[in-house]
Amino acid sequence: RKEVEQDPGPFNVPEGATVAFNCTYSNSASQSFFWYRQDCRKEPKLLMSVYSSGNEDGRFTAQLNRASQYISLLIRDSKLSDSATYLCVPHNQGGKLIFGQGTELSVKP
Amino acid sequence: EPEVTQTPSHQVTQMGQEVILRCVPISNHLYFYWYRQILGQKVEFLVSFYNNEISEKSEIFDDQFSVERPDGSNFTLKIRSTKLEDSAMYFCASQGELLSYNEQFFGPGTRLTVL
């Protein structure tokens, strides 16, 4: 089983829409997670950290369900600038980040 | 805001040549990483570095690769004899402490093209 699995997308949504991405992870020992965003040919940038049941930051809400080994990211009121690939990344005790393929989001006017 | 920098932004080289990719991590950070991303694929971990030695490396990081921190500020990745399949974006990252909520900051990357 892959360490991280995400909806591959692409998700094509109109501006203002609410969109949710799902992520499942295999290592039940993972204590915390990160959502990164990556624009085309750019470096990953941290969007938010998740280390309890969830986290909210403005239009972005992340929820963590440890029993189901499932994390979600909800984006409300999508903006054109939200178009990117969203990466769910479990924290690893040794420090390295294990990235999946990510979920591509395209917000259209 | 402090940032990780990388040079060059784009490196073109002939197969079999040696390349050195350079990174300047954030100044008070202690943990350093190299990742690569082949076009259209996911970001892959190559190596982590702490206290002047490699702490972990992936299967990709074979004998052709080496890292060092020659002067306490730069962090370099050397590929001794480049292959076509080494063509990728190479990202350097640094981290202050190995805590569960600690962010790794990524540099803008070096695009390596091997001809």
Side-chain angles (χ1 to χ4, degrees):
Chain A
R1 185 180 170 185
K2 290 182 183 176
E3 191 149 341
V4 171
E5 293 201 60
Q6 293 185 244
D7 294 336
F11 282 59
N12 296 303
V13 303
E15 267 186 295
T18 295
V19 61
F21 306 135
N22 300 320
C23 170
T24 55
Y25 60 95
S26 60
N27 184 358
S28 59
S30 295
Q31 292 298 305
S32 58
F33 303 85
F34 305 103
W35 279 103
Y36 277 81
R37 67 169 280 168
Q38 185 178 28
D39 295 285
C40 188
R41 293 178 179 251
K42 301 279 190 181
E43 73 273 27
K45 290 189 175 175
L46 185 68
L47 184 64
M48 57 197 316
S49 307
V50 190
Y51 38 85
S52 57
S53 59
N55 197 6
E56 184 171 331
D57 183 4
R59 298 182 295 109
F60 300 87
T61 301
Q63 292 198 315
L64 171 60
N65 183 324
R66 292 188 193 277
S68 304
Q69 293 181 214
Y70 167 96
I71 312 149
S72 65
L73 178 69
L74 184 78
I75 305 176
R76 287 180 295 277
D77 188 23
S78 307
K79 313 288 184 198
L80 296 176
S81 57
D82 293 334
S83 297
T85 297
Y86 289 82
L87 303 160
C88 163
V89 187
H91 174 258
N92 181 292
Q93 292 288 351
K96 70 181 180 188
L97 298 179
I98 305 295
F99 291 90
Q101 289 283 91
T103 299
E104 185 183 342
L105 172 67
S106 180
V107 182
K108 307 290 187 187
Chain B
E1 185 177 316
E3 58 182 15
V4 177
T5 59
Q6 289 186 243
T7 54
S9 56
H10 190 190
Q11 172 92 47
V12 181
T13 190
Q14 294 290 325
M15 191 169 59
Q17 294 296 304
E18 175 183 288
V19 294
I20 298 177
L21 310 183
R22 290 184 167 79
C23 168
V24 179
I26 293 172
S27 63
N28 60 347
H29 281 185
L30 303 174
Y31 298 87
F32 312 110
Y33 307 85
W34 283 101
Y35 296 85
R36 81 169 186 192
Q37 186 174 32
I38 295 169
L39 186 64
Q41 298 187 23
K42 62 184 180 181
V43 177
E44 299 174 289
F45 166 77
L46 290 178
V47 65
S48 57
F49 191 86
Y50 169 70
N51 201 25
N52 276 324
E53 59 183 31
I54 291 173
S55 19
E56 189 174 359
K57 58 184 180 179
S58 72
E59 290 177 356
I60 303 166
F61 195 88
D62 62 21
D63 293 343
Q64 293 299 313
F65 291 87
S66 62
V67 290
E68 63 174 4
R69 197 147 186 258
D71 56 13
S73 61
N74 291 288
F75 178 50
T76 61
L77 174 69
K78 184 193 291 186
I79 309 175
R80 258 180 280 282
S81 177
T82 49
K83 306 183 190 67
L84 295 176
E85 54 265 36
D86 293 328
S87 295
M89 282 290 285
Y90 287 81
F91 295 109
C92 171
S94 74
Q95 187 173 17
E97 293 180 53
L98 268 188
L99 300 173
S100 61
Y101 49 84
N102 237 218
E103 179 180 356
Q104 277 185 31
F105 292 83
F106 282 78
T110 293
R111 189 190 310 173
L112 176 64
T113 302
V114 182
L115 303 175

